mmCIF file of all heavy atoms in Angstrom:
data_model
loop_
_atom_site.group_PDB
_atom_site.id
_atom_site.type_symbol
_atom_site.label_atom_id
_atom_site.label_comp_id
_atom_site.label_asym_id
_atom_site.label_seq_id
_atom_site.Cartn_x
_atom_site.Cartn_y
_atom_site.Cartn_z
ATOM 1 N N GLN A 1 -70.131 -169.098 -220.682
ATOM 2 C CA GLN A 1 -71.413 -168.584 -220.239
ATOM 3 C C GLN A 1 -71.540 -168.784 -218.723
ATOM 4 O O GLN A 1 -70.900 -169.653 -218.158
ATOM 5 C CB GLN A 1 -72.566 -169.267 -220.976
ATOM 6 C CG GLN A 1 -72.625 -170.778 -220.796
ATOM 7 C CD GLN A 1 -73.694 -171.430 -221.627
ATOM 8 O OE1 GLN A 1 -74.467 -170.766 -222.265
ATOM 9 N NE2 GLN A 1 -73.748 -172.748 -221.616
ATOM 10 N N ALA A 2 -72.390 -167.959 -218.139
ATOM 11 C CA ALA A 2 -72.634 -168.069 -216.694
ATOM 12 C C ALA A 2 -74.080 -167.705 -216.417
ATOM 13 O O ALA A 2 -74.729 -167.070 -217.251
ATOM 14 C CB ALA A 2 -71.707 -167.154 -215.912
ATOM 15 N N GLN A 3 -74.580 -168.149 -215.290
ATOM 16 C CA GLN A 3 -75.947 -167.879 -214.884
ATOM 17 C C GLN A 3 -75.968 -167.167 -213.538
ATOM 18 O O GLN A 3 -74.965 -167.132 -212.821
ATOM 19 C CB GLN A 3 -76.744 -169.183 -214.812
ATOM 20 C CG GLN A 3 -76.795 -169.922 -216.141
ATOM 21 C CD GLN A 3 -77.441 -171.292 -216.006
ATOM 22 O OE1 GLN A 3 -78.137 -171.564 -215.039
ATOM 23 N NE2 GLN A 3 -77.185 -172.153 -217.003
ATOM 24 N N LEU A 4 -77.128 -166.621 -213.187
ATOM 25 C CA LEU A 4 -77.213 -165.838 -211.952
ATOM 26 C C LEU A 4 -77.145 -166.696 -210.690
ATOM 27 O O LEU A 4 -77.122 -166.153 -209.577
ATOM 28 C CB LEU A 4 -78.491 -164.992 -211.941
ATOM 29 C CG LEU A 4 -78.374 -163.655 -212.659
ATOM 30 C CD1 LEU A 4 -79.693 -162.883 -212.612
ATOM 31 C CD2 LEU A 4 -77.261 -162.796 -212.042
ATOM 32 N N ASN A 5 -77.114 -168.026 -210.835
ATOM 33 C CA ASN A 5 -76.839 -168.853 -209.648
ATOM 34 C C ASN A 5 -75.340 -169.115 -209.506
ATOM 35 O O ASN A 5 -74.942 -169.895 -208.664
ATOM 36 C CB ASN A 5 -77.615 -170.172 -209.731
ATOM 37 C CG ASN A 5 -77.135 -171.059 -210.875
ATOM 38 O OD1 ASN A 5 -76.326 -170.656 -211.703
ATOM 39 N ND2 ASN A 5 -77.668 -172.283 -210.930
ATOM 40 N N SER A 6 -74.535 -168.457 -210.349
ATOM 41 C CA SER A 6 -73.068 -168.506 -210.399
ATOM 42 C C SER A 6 -72.531 -169.747 -211.093
ATOM 43 O O SER A 6 -71.333 -170.000 -211.104
ATOM 44 C CB SER A 6 -72.430 -168.356 -209.040
ATOM 45 O OG SER A 6 -72.321 -169.546 -208.330
ATOM 46 N N ALA A 7 -73.450 -170.535 -211.722
ATOM 47 C CA ALA A 7 -72.961 -171.659 -212.557
ATOM 48 C C ALA A 7 -72.255 -171.125 -213.791
ATOM 49 O O ALA A 7 -72.725 -170.165 -214.418
ATOM 50 C CB ALA A 7 -74.149 -172.528 -212.965
ATOM 51 N N PHE A 8 -71.124 -171.745 -214.139
ATOM 52 C CA PHE A 8 -70.371 -171.277 -215.307
ATOM 53 C C PHE A 8 -69.836 -172.448 -216.082
ATOM 54 O O PHE A 8 -69.613 -173.543 -215.545
ATOM 55 C CB PHE A 8 -69.221 -170.380 -214.871
ATOM 56 C CG PHE A 8 -68.150 -171.076 -214.071
ATOM 57 C CD1 PHE A 8 -67.036 -171.650 -214.699
ATOM 58 C CD2 PHE A 8 -68.241 -171.191 -212.687
ATOM 59 C CE1 PHE A 8 -66.065 -172.305 -213.970
ATOM 60 C CE2 PHE A 8 -67.258 -171.832 -211.952
ATOM 61 C CZ PHE A 8 -66.174 -172.382 -212.596
ATOM 62 N N GLN A 9 -69.643 -172.213 -217.379
ATOM 63 C CA GLN A 9 -68.914 -173.161 -218.231
ATOM 64 C C GLN A 9 -68.099 -172.330 -219.198
ATOM 65 O O GLN A 9 -68.604 -171.432 -219.853
ATOM 66 C CB GLN A 9 -69.859 -174.066 -219.017
ATOM 67 C CG GLN A 9 -69.115 -175.067 -219.894
ATOM 68 C CD GLN A 9 -70.030 -176.151 -220.480
ATOM 69 O OE1 GLN A 9 -71.203 -176.141 -220.243
ATOM 70 N NE2 GLN A 9 -69.443 -177.052 -221.245
ATOM 71 N N VAL A 10 -66.788 -172.614 -219.254
ATOM 72 C CA VAL A 10 -65.845 -171.822 -220.029
ATOM 73 C C VAL A 10 -65.004 -172.741 -220.894
ATOM 74 O O VAL A 10 -64.406 -173.706 -220.384
ATOM 75 C CB VAL A 10 -64.947 -170.978 -219.091
ATOM 76 C CG1 VAL A 10 -63.888 -170.215 -219.874
ATOM 77 C CG2 VAL A 10 -65.755 -170.026 -218.248
ATOM 78 N N GLY A 11 -64.925 -172.433 -222.195
ATOM 79 C CA GLY A 11 -64.035 -173.169 -223.072
ATOM 80 C C GLY A 11 -62.596 -172.784 -222.811
ATOM 81 O O GLY A 11 -62.298 -171.615 -222.525
ATOM 82 N N VAL A 12 -61.697 -173.722 -222.863
ATOM 83 C CA VAL A 12 -60.274 -173.469 -222.593
ATOM 84 C C VAL A 12 -59.506 -173.547 -223.907
ATOM 85 O O VAL A 12 -59.516 -174.581 -224.586
ATOM 86 C CB VAL A 12 -59.704 -174.473 -221.607
ATOM 87 C CG1 VAL A 12 -58.203 -174.264 -221.417
ATOM 88 C CG2 VAL A 12 -60.426 -174.376 -220.256
ATOM 89 N N GLN A 13 -58.845 -172.441 -224.295
ATOM 90 C CA GLN A 13 -58.085 -172.466 -225.547
ATOM 91 C C GLN A 13 -56.590 -172.673 -225.312
ATOM 92 O O GLN A 13 -55.844 -172.868 -226.252
ATOM 93 C CB GLN A 13 -58.324 -171.170 -226.319
ATOM 94 C CG GLN A 13 -57.720 -169.924 -225.720
ATOM 95 C CD GLN A 13 -57.710 -168.757 -226.711
ATOM 96 O OE1 GLN A 13 -57.772 -168.953 -227.929
ATOM 97 N NE2 GLN A 13 -57.635 -167.553 -226.206
ATOM 98 N N GLU A 14 -56.157 -172.606 -224.055
ATOM 99 C CA GLU A 14 -54.793 -172.979 -223.723
ATOM 100 C C GLU A 14 -54.762 -173.578 -222.325
ATOM 101 O O GLU A 14 -55.191 -172.950 -221.353
ATOM 102 C CB GLU A 14 -53.861 -171.766 -223.790
ATOM 103 C CG GLU A 14 -52.387 -172.164 -223.561
ATOM 104 C CD GLU A 14 -51.467 -170.957 -223.579
ATOM 105 O OE1 GLU A 14 -51.909 -169.814 -223.787
ATOM 106 O OE2 GLU A 14 -50.242 -171.190 -223.364
ATOM 107 N N GLY A 15 -54.265 -174.808 -222.243
ATOM 108 C CA GLY A 15 -54.185 -175.490 -220.956
ATOM 109 C C GLY A 15 -53.153 -176.621 -221.021
ATOM 110 O O GLY A 15 -52.777 -177.057 -222.100
ATOM 111 N N TYR A 16 -52.727 -177.063 -219.854
ATOM 112 C CA TYR A 16 -51.687 -178.083 -219.766
ATOM 113 C C TYR A 16 -51.956 -179.040 -218.600
ATOM 114 O O TYR A 16 -52.655 -178.680 -217.632
ATOM 115 C CB TYR A 16 -50.312 -177.420 -219.559
ATOM 116 C CG TYR A 16 -49.980 -176.422 -220.595
ATOM 117 C CD1 TYR A 16 -50.370 -175.074 -220.476
ATOM 118 C CD2 TYR A 16 -49.290 -176.788 -221.760
ATOM 119 C CE1 TYR A 16 -50.087 -174.138 -221.454
ATOM 120 C CE2 TYR A 16 -49.004 -175.851 -222.764
ATOM 121 C CZ TYR A 16 -49.400 -174.520 -222.598
ATOM 122 O OH TYR A 16 -49.123 -173.601 -223.569
ATOM 123 N N MET A 17 -51.398 -180.223 -218.698
ATOM 124 C CA MET A 17 -51.446 -181.158 -217.589
ATOM 125 C C MET A 17 -50.376 -180.807 -216.566
ATOM 126 O O MET A 17 -49.323 -180.270 -216.914
ATOM 127 C CB MET A 17 -51.228 -182.590 -218.089
ATOM 128 C CG MET A 17 -52.323 -183.108 -219.002
ATOM 129 S SD MET A 17 -51.888 -184.653 -219.847
ATOM 130 C CE MET A 17 -51.643 -185.753 -218.443
ATOM 131 N N ILE A 18 -50.683 -181.100 -215.307
ATOM 132 C CA ILE A 18 -49.667 -181.019 -214.232
ATOM 133 C C ILE A 18 -49.431 -182.429 -213.742
ATOM 134 O O ILE A 18 -50.375 -183.120 -213.335
ATOM 135 C CB ILE A 18 -50.146 -180.123 -213.074
ATOM 136 C CG1 ILE A 18 -50.535 -178.725 -213.541
ATOM 137 C CG2 ILE A 18 -49.073 -180.026 -211.983
ATOM 138 C CD1 ILE A 18 -51.174 -177.858 -212.493
ATOM 139 N N GLU A 19 -48.201 -182.865 -213.813
ATOM 140 C CA GLU A 19 -47.861 -184.226 -213.375
ATOM 141 C C GLU A 19 -46.643 -184.157 -212.470
ATOM 142 O O GLU A 19 -45.580 -183.657 -212.869
ATOM 143 C CB GLU A 19 -47.586 -185.129 -214.564
ATOM 144 C CG GLU A 19 -48.797 -185.309 -215.476
ATOM 145 C CD GLU A 19 -48.477 -186.148 -216.720
ATOM 146 O OE1 GLU A 19 -47.764 -185.635 -217.602
ATOM 147 O OE2 GLU A 19 -48.958 -187.285 -216.787
ATOM 148 N N ASN A 20 -46.816 -184.665 -211.226
ATOM 149 C CA ASN A 20 -45.730 -184.711 -210.253
ATOM 150 C C ASN A 20 -45.020 -183.336 -210.119
ATOM 151 O O ASN A 20 -43.787 -183.249 -210.103
ATOM 152 C CB ASN A 20 -44.699 -185.786 -210.648
ATOM 153 C CG ASN A 20 -45.347 -187.178 -210.647
ATOM 154 O OD1 ASN A 20 -46.076 -187.502 -209.724
ATOM 155 N ND2 ASN A 20 -45.046 -187.957 -211.661
ATOM 156 N N GLY A 21 -45.843 -182.311 -210.009
ATOM 157 C CA GLY A 21 -45.328 -180.969 -209.785
ATOM 158 C C GLY A 21 -44.737 -180.281 -210.976
ATOM 159 O O GLY A 21 -44.066 -179.232 -210.832
ATOM 160 N N GLU A 22 -44.937 -180.814 -212.186
ATOM 161 C CA GLU A 22 -44.367 -180.248 -213.405
ATOM 162 C C GLU A 22 -45.470 -180.006 -214.445
ATOM 163 O O GLU A 22 -46.415 -180.785 -214.555
ATOM 164 C CB GLU A 22 -43.292 -181.169 -213.997
ATOM 165 C CG GLU A 22 -42.122 -181.461 -213.093
ATOM 166 C CD GLU A 22 -41.210 -180.266 -212.964
ATOM 167 O OE1 GLU A 22 -41.214 -179.392 -213.866
ATOM 168 O OE2 GLU A 22 -40.429 -180.213 -211.974
ATOM 169 N N ILE A 23 -45.300 -178.917 -215.225
ATOM 170 C CA ILE A 23 -46.194 -178.684 -216.364
ATOM 171 C C ILE A 23 -45.739 -179.583 -217.512
ATOM 172 O O ILE A 23 -44.563 -179.543 -217.896
ATOM 173 C CB ILE A 23 -46.138 -177.200 -216.822
ATOM 174 C CG1 ILE A 23 -46.488 -176.280 -215.652
ATOM 175 C CG2 ILE A 23 -47.080 -176.965 -217.984
ATOM 176 C CD1 ILE A 23 -47.867 -176.458 -215.096
ATOM 177 N N THR A 24 -46.664 -180.392 -218.038
ATOM 178 C CA THR A 24 -46.270 -181.367 -219.085
ATOM 179 C C THR A 24 -47.039 -181.110 -220.396
ATOM 180 O O THR A 24 -46.880 -180.085 -220.998
ATOM 181 C CB THR A 24 -46.444 -182.799 -218.574
ATOM 182 O OG1 THR A 24 -47.802 -183.020 -218.191
ATOM 183 C CG2 THR A 24 -45.527 -183.056 -217.381
ATOM 184 N N LYS A 25 -47.912 -182.039 -220.778
ATOM 185 C CA LYS A 25 -48.548 -181.977 -222.087
ATOM 186 C C LYS A 25 -49.651 -180.930 -222.179
ATOM 187 O O LYS A 25 -50.387 -180.717 -221.242
ATOM 188 C CB LYS A 25 -49.163 -183.339 -222.422
ATOM 189 C CG LYS A 25 -48.178 -184.499 -222.405
ATOM 190 C CD LYS A 25 -48.923 -185.807 -222.505
ATOM 191 C CE LYS A 25 -47.977 -187.001 -222.344
ATOM 192 N NZ LYS A 25 -48.704 -188.276 -222.306
ATOM 193 N N PRO A 26 -49.769 -180.278 -223.370
ATOM 194 C CA PRO A 26 -50.913 -179.389 -223.563
ATOM 195 C C PRO A 26 -52.197 -180.215 -223.719
ATOM 196 O O PRO A 26 -52.151 -181.411 -224.039
ATOM 197 C CB PRO A 26 -50.573 -178.653 -224.861
ATOM 198 C CG PRO A 26 -49.630 -179.559 -225.588
ATOM 199 C CD PRO A 26 -48.879 -180.304 -224.535
ATOM 200 N N ILE A 27 -53.340 -179.566 -223.488
ATOM 201 C CA ILE A 27 -54.650 -180.237 -223.622
ATOM 202 C C ILE A 27 -55.492 -179.529 -224.675
ATOM 203 O O ILE A 27 -55.279 -178.339 -224.942
ATOM 204 C CB ILE A 27 -55.381 -180.313 -222.289
ATOM 205 C CG1 ILE A 27 -55.498 -178.927 -221.638
ATOM 206 C CG2 ILE A 27 -54.670 -181.269 -221.328
ATOM 207 C CD1 ILE A 27 -56.301 -178.891 -220.348
ATOM 208 N N ARG A 28 -56.466 -180.244 -225.232
ATOM 209 C CA ARG A 28 -57.325 -179.659 -226.282
ATOM 210 C C ARG A 28 -58.765 -180.060 -226.039
ATOM 211 O O ARG A 28 -59.064 -180.924 -225.218
ATOM 212 C CB ARG A 28 -56.876 -180.107 -227.674
ATOM 213 C CG ARG A 28 -56.912 -181.629 -227.888
ATOM 214 C CD ARG A 28 -56.594 -182.001 -229.317
ATOM 215 N NE ARG A 28 -57.739 -181.803 -230.203
ATOM 216 C CZ ARG A 28 -57.758 -181.015 -231.259
ATOM 217 N NH1 ARG A 28 -56.662 -180.324 -231.591
ATOM 218 N NH2 ARG A 28 -58.819 -180.870 -232.025
ATOM 219 N N ASP A 29 -59.677 -179.387 -226.787
ATOM 220 C CA ASP A 29 -61.101 -179.700 -226.723
ATOM 221 C C ASP A 29 -61.576 -179.756 -225.272
ATOM 222 O O ASP A 29 -62.168 -180.735 -224.807
ATOM 223 C CB ASP A 29 -61.418 -181.026 -227.421
ATOM 224 C CG ASP A 29 -61.068 -180.981 -228.907
ATOM 225 O OD1 ASP A 29 -61.113 -179.881 -229.475
ATOM 226 O OD2 ASP A 29 -60.721 -182.037 -229.446
ATOM 227 N N THR A 30 -61.295 -178.669 -224.541
ATOM 228 C CA THR A 30 -61.455 -178.673 -223.103
ATOM 229 C C THR A 30 -62.373 -177.570 -222.647
ATOM 230 O O THR A 30 -62.388 -176.464 -223.227
ATOM 231 C CB THR A 30 -60.086 -178.492 -222.413
ATOM 232 O OG1 THR A 30 -59.191 -179.466 -222.942
ATOM 233 C CG2 THR A 30 -60.191 -178.642 -220.922
ATOM 234 N N SER A 31 -63.125 -177.799 -221.582
ATOM 235 C CA SER A 31 -63.857 -176.760 -220.900
ATOM 236 C C SER A 31 -63.794 -176.986 -219.401
ATOM 237 O O SER A 31 -63.494 -178.094 -218.954
ATOM 238 C CB SER A 31 -65.305 -176.703 -221.356
ATOM 239 O OG SER A 31 -66.018 -177.840 -220.920
ATOM 240 N N ILE A 32 -64.052 -175.955 -218.661
ATOM 241 C CA ILE A 32 -64.182 -176.078 -217.212
ATOM 242 C C ILE A 32 -65.571 -175.586 -216.822
ATOM 243 O O ILE A 32 -66.141 -174.710 -217.448
ATOM 244 C CB ILE A 32 -63.085 -175.293 -216.441
ATOM 245 C CG1 ILE A 32 -63.118 -173.817 -216.837
ATOM 246 C CG2 ILE A 32 -61.726 -175.903 -216.657
ATOM 247 C CD1 ILE A 32 -62.212 -172.923 -215.993
ATOM 248 N N SER A 33 -66.118 -176.176 -215.757
ATOM 249 C CA SER A 33 -67.454 -175.767 -215.310
ATOM 250 C C SER A 33 -67.535 -175.932 -213.803
ATOM 251 O O SER A 33 -66.735 -176.617 -213.158
ATOM 252 C CB SER A 33 -68.517 -176.646 -215.979
ATOM 253 O OG SER A 33 -68.323 -177.994 -215.681
ATOM 254 N N GLY A 34 -68.534 -175.265 -213.235
ATOM 255 C CA GLY A 34 -68.727 -175.355 -211.796
ATOM 256 C C GLY A 34 -69.742 -174.337 -211.301
ATOM 257 O O GLY A 34 -70.392 -173.644 -212.094
ATOM 258 N N ILE A 35 -69.904 -174.264 -210.002
ATOM 259 C CA ILE A 35 -70.710 -173.232 -209.322
ATOM 260 C C ILE A 35 -69.733 -172.337 -208.615
ATOM 261 O O ILE A 35 -69.055 -172.743 -207.676
ATOM 262 C CB ILE A 35 -71.711 -173.871 -208.323
ATOM 263 C CG1 ILE A 35 -72.566 -174.922 -208.990
ATOM 264 C CG2 ILE A 35 -72.554 -172.754 -207.696
ATOM 265 C CD1 ILE A 35 -73.524 -174.412 -210.041
ATOM 266 N N ALA A 36 -69.611 -171.102 -209.066
ATOM 267 C CA ALA A 36 -68.540 -170.227 -208.596
ATOM 268 C C ALA A 36 -68.555 -169.996 -207.088
ATOM 269 O O ALA A 36 -67.501 -169.971 -206.452
ATOM 270 C CB ALA A 36 -68.606 -168.876 -209.321
ATOM 271 N N ILE A 37 -69.746 -169.858 -206.499
ATOM 272 C CA ILE A 37 -69.776 -169.608 -205.047
ATOM 273 C C ILE A 37 -69.349 -170.848 -204.250
ATOM 274 O O ILE A 37 -68.947 -170.725 -203.095
ATOM 275 C CB ILE A 37 -71.161 -169.112 -204.556
ATOM 276 C CG1 ILE A 37 -72.282 -170.080 -204.961
ATOM 277 C CG2 ILE A 37 -71.421 -167.710 -205.095
ATOM 278 C CD1 ILE A 37 -73.629 -169.684 -204.390
ATOM 279 N N GLU A 38 -69.425 -172.025 -204.885
ATOM 280 C CA GLU A 38 -68.883 -173.248 -204.252
ATOM 281 C C GLU A 38 -67.364 -173.362 -204.528
ATOM 282 O O GLU A 38 -66.606 -173.749 -203.665
ATOM 283 C CB GLU A 38 -69.613 -174.465 -204.781
ATOM 284 C CG GLU A 38 -71.096 -174.500 -204.410
ATOM 285 C CD GLU A 38 -71.316 -174.480 -202.911
ATOM 286 O OE1 GLU A 38 -70.546 -175.107 -202.159
ATOM 287 O OE2 GLU A 38 -72.286 -173.802 -202.469
ATOM 288 N N ALA A 39 -66.965 -173.004 -205.760
ATOM 289 C CA ALA A 39 -65.551 -173.064 -206.100
ATOM 290 C C ALA A 39 -64.704 -172.109 -205.242
ATOM 291 O O ALA A 39 -63.533 -172.403 -204.935
ATOM 292 C CB ALA A 39 -65.352 -172.751 -207.585
ATOM 293 N N LEU A 40 -65.288 -170.968 -204.864
ATOM 294 C CA LEU A 40 -64.580 -170.023 -204.011
ATOM 295 C C LEU A 40 -64.056 -170.680 -202.743
ATOM 296 O O LEU A 40 -62.942 -170.390 -202.271
ATOM 297 C CB LEU A 40 -65.514 -168.861 -203.616
ATOM 298 C CG LEU A 40 -65.755 -167.727 -204.613
ATOM 299 C CD1 LEU A 40 -66.840 -166.821 -204.104
ATOM 300 C CD2 LEU A 40 -64.467 -166.967 -204.898
ATOM 301 N N LYS A 41 -64.843 -171.562 -202.188
ATOM 302 C CA LYS A 41 -64.505 -172.224 -200.927
ATOM 303 C C LYS A 41 -63.328 -173.191 -201.092
ATOM 304 O O LYS A 41 -62.691 -173.584 -200.112
ATOM 305 C CB LYS A 41 -65.709 -172.978 -200.367
ATOM 306 C CG LYS A 41 -66.920 -172.083 -200.107
ATOM 307 C CD LYS A 41 -68.163 -172.918 -199.791
ATOM 308 C CE LYS A 41 -69.416 -172.051 -199.689
ATOM 309 N NZ LYS A 41 -70.632 -172.848 -199.483
ATOM 310 N N LYS A 42 -63.071 -173.575 -202.362
ATOM 311 C CA LYS A 42 -62.018 -174.549 -202.631
ATOM 312 C C LYS A 42 -60.688 -173.911 -203.025
ATOM 313 O O LYS A 42 -59.741 -174.613 -203.405
ATOM 314 C CB LYS A 42 -62.498 -175.494 -203.768
ATOM 315 C CG LYS A 42 -63.838 -176.171 -203.510
ATOM 316 C CD LYS A 42 -63.724 -177.239 -202.438
ATOM 317 C CE LYS A 42 -65.036 -178.025 -202.319
ATOM 318 N NZ LYS A 42 -64.918 -179.107 -201.305
ATOM 319 N N ILE A 43 -60.629 -172.592 -202.981
ATOM 320 C CA ILE A 43 -59.364 -171.909 -203.288
ATOM 321 C C ILE A 43 -58.360 -172.172 -202.169
ATOM 322 O O ILE A 43 -58.650 -171.939 -200.983
ATOM 323 C CB ILE A 43 -59.573 -170.386 -203.453
ATOM 324 C CG1 ILE A 43 -60.499 -170.102 -204.660
ATOM 325 C CG2 ILE A 43 -58.226 -169.685 -203.650
ATOM 326 C CD1 ILE A 43 -60.925 -168.660 -204.764
ATOM 327 N N THR A 44 -57.185 -172.679 -202.539
ATOM 328 C CA THR A 44 -56.177 -173.025 -201.516
ATOM 329 C C THR A 44 -54.908 -172.189 -201.631
ATOM 330 O O THR A 44 -54.079 -172.221 -200.738
ATOM 331 C CB THR A 44 -55.812 -174.498 -201.601
ATOM 332 O OG1 THR A 44 -55.384 -174.810 -202.954
ATOM 333 C CG2 THR A 44 -57.006 -175.384 -201.241
ATOM 334 N N ALA A 45 -54.766 -171.456 -202.740
ATOM 335 C CA ALA A 45 -53.548 -170.645 -202.900
ATOM 336 C C ALA A 45 -53.838 -169.484 -203.861
ATOM 337 O O ALA A 45 -54.522 -169.664 -204.883
ATOM 338 C CB ALA A 45 -52.392 -171.488 -203.424
ATOM 339 N N VAL A 46 -53.282 -168.325 -203.549
ATOM 340 C CA VAL A 46 -53.417 -167.114 -204.380
ATOM 341 C C VAL A 46 -52.035 -166.610 -204.715
ATOM 342 O O VAL A 46 -51.240 -166.329 -203.825
ATOM 343 C CB VAL A 46 -54.246 -166.024 -203.678
ATOM 344 C CG1 VAL A 46 -54.352 -164.781 -204.538
ATOM 345 C CG2 VAL A 46 -55.639 -166.555 -203.322
ATOM 346 N N GLY A 47 -51.723 -166.449 -205.984
ATOM 347 C CA GLY A 47 -50.390 -166.079 -206.428
ATOM 348 C C GLY A 47 -50.030 -164.661 -206.132
ATOM 349 O O GLY A 47 -50.867 -163.790 -205.925
ATOM 350 N N LYS A 48 -48.741 -164.375 -206.168
ATOM 351 C CA LYS A 48 -48.229 -163.035 -205.941
ATOM 352 C C LYS A 48 -48.147 -162.212 -207.221
ATOM 353 O O LYS A 48 -47.795 -161.023 -207.194
ATOM 354 C CB LYS A 48 -46.843 -163.093 -205.272
ATOM 355 C CG LYS A 48 -45.777 -163.800 -206.085
ATOM 356 C CD LYS A 48 -44.404 -163.801 -205.378
ATOM 357 C CE LYS A 48 -44.392 -164.723 -204.198
ATOM 358 N NZ LYS A 48 -43.042 -164.851 -203.578
#
């Protein structure tokens, strides 16, 4: 779900840990949340 202030919360049905530059264990019962217009400023890399 999301709101008009750009706050969002999203359930994650597939995700993994990153440890020392490697994809390792899968994760469960997970969600991500934030304020999208603030998260935009924290983008450091965009894939090809």
